[in-house]
């Protein structure tokens, strides 16, 4: 083609009156996500320009203010009716602003706020070279045990990058349950997964174990992302769109116009079934359901404990939110196909998590298998396929996240010369050494076990009653049996703490700063309030249980 003809094409294109339509973005309704991601970008600039001495205080302040501001924005949106009457699809169809999205985003932000307090804790380890230290490596880039690492410790360096990383993860988690098309879902998954892979690798003590955990998490996370992406491609081939509403319309057969280019593939149920199954696999990986749970115990044990608590609570909330939206908005027409599969997954998850937890000797691995069993209990509510099912899952996630962060915060307090004493034998007699810490941990364990007057009991009752009403009675029987098995190992830890003789060379309980005390205090308060007077919060979850279609 000659230069003259190219030029004439160019001028024709420039002269044409057709304008590219500008996208209409509802910034006010996206403000919680924008605040958190904006603060994360500011956090990166703080690392670049603020002197090392002032970074820690600047980052903690920035993270806390950003999360609080984002939560205030969510409360304002809910008060403005966006959880009910004004619920709609924003950002050109990419994000849903509705009851479940706002409820889950609020839960993620509150859980992240108390988790950030444990990140900022600097009083548990003894001072090294006159500097206070936190749970994170002095210099994450240096090889464990190398001279550069020793020099960094001596100089009093701290990895303050963990705060912007946590904010990026929170930003991704806020988008994940609100995503209304499959591409937004995938991008949100990557935005919150990549910072978590990094956060898992930066423990101050047991650095090799921490790095091993991060590599395992990264490899298995990449697997789950690949499954999800393959599923998205197949569903796009089936429906000709990545939008949830359009896919649902094609599944139901209510689609009005068919793109001729996709006419051959649109009726192909194999694409729909395989694609839907692959997306489910990707989400069940993140939830930690059996048989996609293999990363959970290793990562929970190896990651820095504040990160473990943050991940165990917030990731579960985000992943279950995305799972609910996928099953209730995109694939309700496939209910007869996905329910039997989810039944099987829920049963093996409840039983697998509870039975394997009995054999664990490390407190963090025990809590990891406990979280797998809880994923099974929550799946029982997902399977109910009723509005009660959605509200019970929302309530359970809210209750579970605070109990989990509180429990991991207590684990950071029990220490010996090598850092945290996570082996169960070290916890023997803890109730005599430090009755308050042991009593608080016992409250969390009883809540996990689902003992009445704790948040765990209310959550389990809500989920199981929704499952029973939804026709999943046998699942409830398995759930109750699993709860009984799980209660055994929770109560075993309580017996170990209060009815064993303390060892002479046993661990000490560090006295935390007000930051960790706040985290544990909030955990206990939520556990007891949701156990004793849950009605207001059950009603709140009930009002927030309608998805915008």
């Amino acid at each position: 083609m000659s230069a003259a003809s190219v030029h004439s094409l160019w001028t024709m294109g420039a002269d044409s009156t057709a304008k590219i339509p500008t996208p209409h973005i509802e910034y006010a309704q996206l403000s919680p996500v924008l605040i958190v991601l904006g603060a994360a970008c500011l956090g990166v600039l703080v690392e670049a320009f603020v002197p090392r001495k002032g970074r820690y205080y600047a980052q903690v302040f920035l993270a806390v203010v950003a999360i609080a501001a984002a939560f205030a924005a969510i409360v304002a949106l809910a008060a403005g009716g966006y959880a009910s009457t004004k619920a709609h699809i924003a950002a050109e169809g990419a994000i849903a602003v509705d009851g479940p999205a706002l409820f889950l985003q609020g839960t993620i932000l509150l859980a992240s706020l108390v988790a950030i307090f444990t990140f900022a804790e600097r009083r548990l380890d003894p001072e090294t070279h006159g500097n206070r230290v936190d749970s994170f490596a002095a210099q994450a880039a240096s090889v464990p045990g190398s001279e550069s690492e020793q020099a960094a410790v001596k100089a009093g360096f701290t990895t303050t990058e963990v705060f912007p990383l946590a904010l990026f993860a929170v930003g991704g988690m806020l988008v994940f349950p609100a995503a209304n098309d499959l591409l937004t879902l995938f991008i949100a998954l990557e935005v919150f997964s990549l910072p978590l892979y990094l956060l898992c690798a930066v423990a101050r003590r047991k650095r090799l174990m921490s790095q091993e955990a991060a590599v395992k998490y990264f490899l298995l996370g990449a697997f789950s992302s690949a499954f999800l992406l393959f599923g998205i491609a197949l569903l796009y081939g089936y429906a000709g769109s990545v939008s949830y509403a359009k896919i649902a319309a094609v599944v139901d057969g209510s689609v009005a116009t068919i793109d001729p280019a996709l006419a051959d593939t649109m009726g192909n149920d194999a694409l729909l079934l395989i694609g839907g199954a692959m997306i489910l696999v990707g989400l069940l990986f993140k939830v930690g359901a059996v048989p996609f749970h293999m990363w959970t115990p290793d990562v929970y044990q190896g990651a820095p404990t504040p990160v473990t608590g943050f991940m165990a609570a917030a990731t579960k909330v985000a992943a279950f939110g995305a799972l609910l939206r996928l099953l209730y908005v995109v694939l309700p027409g496939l209910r007869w196909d996905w329910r039997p599969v989810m039944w099987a997954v829920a049963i093996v998850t409840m039983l697998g998590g509870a039975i394997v937890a009995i054999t664990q000797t490390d407190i963090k691995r025990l809590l990891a298998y406990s979280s797998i069993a809880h994923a099974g209990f929550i799946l029982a509510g997902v399977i109910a396929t009723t509005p009660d099912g959605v509200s019970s899952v929302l309530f359970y996630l809210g209750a579970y996240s605070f109990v989990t962060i509180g429990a991991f915060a207590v684990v950071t307090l029990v220490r010996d010369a090598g850092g945290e004493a996570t082996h169960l034998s070290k916890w023997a007699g803890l109730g005599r050494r430090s009755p308050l810490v042991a009593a608080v941990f016992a409250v969390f364990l009883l809540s996990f076990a689902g003992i009445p007057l704790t948040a765990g009991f209310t959550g389990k009752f809500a989920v199981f009653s929704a499952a029973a009403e939804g026709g999943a009675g046998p699942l409830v029987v398995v759930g109750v049996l699993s709860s009984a098995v799980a209660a055994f190992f929770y109560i075993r830890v309580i017996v170990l703490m209060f009815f064993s003789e303390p060892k002479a060379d046993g661990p000490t309980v560090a006295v935390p700063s007000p930051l960790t005390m706040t985290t544990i205090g909030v955990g206990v308060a939520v556990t007891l309030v949701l156990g004793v007077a849950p009605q207001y919060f059950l009603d709140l979850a009930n009002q927030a249980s309608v998805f915008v279609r």
Side-chain angles (χ1 to χ4, degrees):
M1 195 184 274
S2 70
S5 58
V6 170
H7 184 260
S8 67
L9 277 174
W10 170 250
T11 48
M12 271 165 59
D15 293 342
S16 68
T17 51
K19 285 194 177 140
I20 296 170
T22 50
H24 174 60
I25 305 294
E26 298 88 338
Y27 289 105
Q29 287 139 54
L30 302 178
S31 56
V33 179
L34 297 176
I35 290 168
V36 170
L37 291 176
C41 296
L42 277 177
V44 174
L45 295 176
V46 167
E47 285 298 313
F49 295 110
V50 173
R52 202 180 279 275
K53 284 263 187 288
R55 279 181 208 168
Y56 165 81
Y57 298 102
Q59 294 284 25
V60 174
F61 176 76
L62 185 63
V64 170
V65 168
I67 292 173
F71 184 72
I74 284 191
V75 172
L77 286 173
Y82 285 103
S84 49
T85 50
K86 291 193 196 166
H88 70 119
I89 308 293
E92 297 285 312
I95 301 282
V97 182
D98 59 5
L102 292 175
F103 188 96
L104 291 162
Q105 288 176 335
T107 306
I108 290 167
L109 287 168
L110 287 178
S112 306
L113 183 63
V114 289
I116 287 288
F117 290 159
T118 62
F119 276 54
E121 177 59 64
R122 300 180 87 175
R123 282 205 201 154
L124 299 178
D125 267 318
E127 291 191 359
T128 49
H129 306 289
N131 297 301
R132 285 187 172 172
V133 294
D134 53 21
S135 305
F136 303 101
Q139 194 163 8
S142 54
V143 176
S146 64
E147 284 178 18
S148 67
E149 186 187 48
Q150 288 160 7
V153 171
K154 205 165 189 176
F157 290 0
T158 52
T159 302
T160 43
E161 300 95 291
V162 294
F163 295 101
L165 281 173
L167 285 177
F168 277 120
V170 172
M173 286 172 193
L174 293 180
V175 177
F176 200 54
N180 197 57
D181 68 46
L182 293 171
L183 281 183
T184 310
L185 183 82
F186 177 71
I187 291 164
L189 175 80
E190 293 306 306
V191 169
F192 82 76
S193 295
L194 294 171
L196 287 176
Y197 302 149
L198 290 173
L199 286 170
C200 287
V202 293
R204 180 173 282 272
R205 311 288 187 102
K206 301 181 182 161
R207 281 199 61 198
L208 286 172
M209 190 176 175
S210 169
Q211 291 179 353
E212 181 194 347
V215 170
K216 283 177 178 168
Y217 191 21
F218 171 66
L219 290 175
L220 285 167
F223 259 109
S224 80
S225 297
F227 271 111
L228 191 84
L229 210 49
F230 209 145
I232 290 170
L234 294 176
L235 273 191
Y236 177 73
Y238 171 80
S241 172
V242 289
S243 156
Y244 283 7
K246 287 184 181 152
I247 296 170
V250 177
V251 173
D252 295 343
S254 59
V255 63
T257 54
I258 292 180
D259 186 336
L262 292 157
D264 294 337
T265 55
M266 268 174 103
N268 190 338
D269 283 352
L271 288 180
L272 169 66
L273 292 170
I274 298 169
M278 286 188 138
I279 291 179
L280 268 184
V281 167
L283 292 176
L284 290 172
F285 250 111
K286 282 291 159 208
V287 164
V290 179
F292 315 108
H293 68 292
M294 283 314 190
W295 59 274
T296 311
D298 291 341
V299 174
Y300 279 28
Q301 186 183 5
T305 307
V307 174
T308 308
F310 169 58
M311 203 164 62
T315 308
K316 258 206 183 19
V317 178
F320 267 111
L323 186 68
L324 278 173
R325 195 174 291 278
L326 183 81
L327 294 179
Y328 283 59
V329 176
V330 187
L331 304 175
L334 269 191
R335 187 173 304 168
W336 300 109
D337 296 298
W338 62 251
R339 268 193 85 173
V341 178
M342 296 299 278
W343 265 66
V345 170
I347 288 171
V348 294
T349 304
M350 289 190 282
L351 289 173
I355 291 167
V356 181
I358 295 174
T359 63
Q360 298 306 310
T361 55
D362 183 276
I363 195 82
K364 283 169 83 175
R365 285 185 85 86
L366 182 116
L367 290 173
Y369 278 105
S370 140
S371 91
I372 292 168
H374 281 282
F377 299 142
I378 301 171
L379 282 173
V382 174
I383 289 166
T385 59
T386 60
D388 279 355
V390 179
S391 65
S392 68
V393 169
L394 296 181
F395 179 85
Y396 200 120
L397 288 169
Y400 171 82
S401 51
F402 290 97
V403 180
T404 305
I405 293 175
F408 280 108
V410 174
V411 172
T412 61
L413 303 185
V414 183
R415 309 178 86 81
D416 57 17
E420 290 159 8
T422 56
H423 199 277
L424 270 181
S425 62
K426 304 267 181 75
W427 287 59
L430 189 71
R432 301 189 186 183
R433 282 223 165 118
S434 170
L436 182 62
V437 169
V440 165
F441 197 60
V443 169
F444 292 141
L445 290 175
L446 291 172
S447 183
F448 282 140
I451 303 299
L453 297 183
T454 62
F457 172 76
T458 316
K460 271 186 190 163
F461 185 81
V463 166
F464 288 158
S465 56
E469 283 167 26
L475 197 64
V476 176
V477 175
V478 176
V480 172
L481 289 173
S482 305
S483 294
V485 174
F488 165 74
F489 61 80
Y490 295 128
I491 291 167
R492 189 183 71 179
V493 176
I494 295 173
V495 169
L496 183 77
M497 290 192 299
F498 287 101
F499 299 104
S500 303
E501 284 299 322
K503 290 183 179 169
D505 59 339
T508 54
V509 173
V511 178
S513 70
L515 292 166
T516 299
M517 285 182 189
T518 305
T519 302
I520 296 172
V522 168
V524 173
V526 170
T527 306
L528 296 177
V529 169
L530 295 187
V532 178
Q535 199 52 53
Y536 170 76
F537 299 96
L538 284 166
D539 292 343
L540 196 66
N542 214 18
Q543 288 160 14
S545 63
V546 182
F547 287 103
V548 63
R549 294 270 196 306

